[in-house]
Amino acid sequence: MKAVVYEKPYSVAVRDVDDPRIEHPNDVIVRVTSSAICGSDLHMYEGRTAAEPGIVFGHENLGVVEETGSGVVSLSKGDRVVMPFNVACGFCKNCLAGDTGFCLTVNPGFAGGAYGYVAMGPYKGGQADRLRVPFADFNCLKLPQGDELETDFILLADIFPTGYHGCELAQVSPGESVAVYGAGPVGLMAAYSALLRGAATVFVVDRVPERLAKATEIGAVPIDFSKGDPVPQIVDRTGGEGTDKGIDAVGYQAQAHDASHEEPASVLNSLVDTVRPTGRLGVPGLYVPSDPGGPDEHAKRGQLLVSIGRMFEKGQRMGTGQCNVKRYNRQLRDMIIAGRARPSFVVSHELPLDQAPQAYEKFDKRVEGYTKVVLHPALAA
């Protein structure tokens, strides 16, 4: 089958790879109809991880069940399904607690597994014609038959739940003010989720005009950090108090305010200054224990200089960690079906699989309005 394969930093290619097969009675094989490119794929694409050449990318996957293992009980051939990016067993201590992003079974020696991602287990990605899904009864979320709302449902694999998770970590409540740093796909989903949860005012910080325009479209207040420090811009708009809540949707590749270089802790420190005393911070943005491309020796070891004293002084609380997609995806699916949510506003491009190399290059450079790319393996080039 065809698949998007990592070759070296800044290079992926569509190659022939072995077809997936049933390896366990609880497996299914899914014919992929949509697979999205994620911002975290860019960390591997840029050589900022330990990813080795040959890894098949793609952890945001939707498709139709083509084959089922003998132990699968809730799925049948022809079912349309979307899979969380988390691979989870459903029965370990963490899965039973709802913390499926930190499954203790699927990736021995590590808490958590994922498709097509370095150090997250032996699971090939779904930017391919087909995908093997382990523990399929637990990991597959059924969708209405057909192809309607495809670009809404594909976002249930990662970024819609992850944006919502940022709001959950920050405990966003109706009537509150929220600052979201980052207007990439996850940041826009966090802002959208905050509005769905009833936030009164949502500020979105970025410097890319197309992304700030998307934030404006959904009713958020855009803050362009290229025009000055975002903290006073937001604090001035909240009567000098700061926001009730803050969300970091950027992570360890945060940039200085003049965008001239990376400052990995800049967003965290800006959030501490932006959010009022006793407010809460949610951090779904990715931070890593090691970063070969870090700007200094501490950053290379995942050690950042964060204003913990200022945070303590303000009595703030912080929630962190990758999203437990299973905790949210069924409810968010039902909001889409009911017409209460349309997250697909963030999708900028739908492309055939063969155009993945160009899509990665343009998405990485944030050019031509590349906000969120969905690849369709069956789409003709």
Side-chain angles (χ1 to χ4, degrees), residues 220-291:
V221 179
I223 301 293
D224 187 344
F225 74 78
S226 70
K227 295 181 178 178
D229 188 338
V231 174
Q233 292 189 62
I234 296 172
V235 171
D236 288 347
R237 287 170 169 82
T238 55
E241 182 181 79
T243 60
D244 298 304
K245 304 293 170 60
I247 297 171
D248 174 359
V250 178
Y252 73 106
Q253 287 184 277
Q255 295 188 334
H257 295 153
D258 63 2
S260 63
H261 60 283
E262 287 188 7
E263 286 185 1
S266 65
V267 167
L268 290 172
N269 287 324
S270 290
L271 274 180
V272 170
D273 289 335
T274 300
V275 175
R276 65 173 175 81
T278 73
R280 190 173 179 97
L281 318 180
V283 185
L286 178 65
Y287 289 87
V288 293
S290 63
D291 171 18

Side-chain angles (χ1 to χ4, degrees), residues 6 44 49-53 55 57 118:
Y6 175 66
M44 295 187 291
T49 71
E52 296 288 340
I55 184 172
F57 281 177
V118 61

Side-chain angles (χ1 to χ4, degrees), residues 347-361:
V347 175
S348 59
H349 293 76
E350 297 182 67
L351 301 171
L353 194 69
D354 286 347
Q355 291 186 21
Q358 301 96 305
Y360 266 91
E361 180 182 5

Side-chain angles (χ1 to χ4, degrees), residues 265-273 278-279 281 283 304-320:
S266 65
V267 167
L268 290 172
N269 287 324
S270 290
L271 274 180
V272 170
D273 289 335
T278 73
L281 318 180
V283 185
L304 308 182
L305 194 61
V306 178
S307 300
I308 188 68
R310 177 70 168 149
M311 183 180 175
F312 182 91
E313 180 184 65
K314 296 179 77 171
Q316 295 170 335
R317 292 162 292 166
M318 179 187 290
T320 71

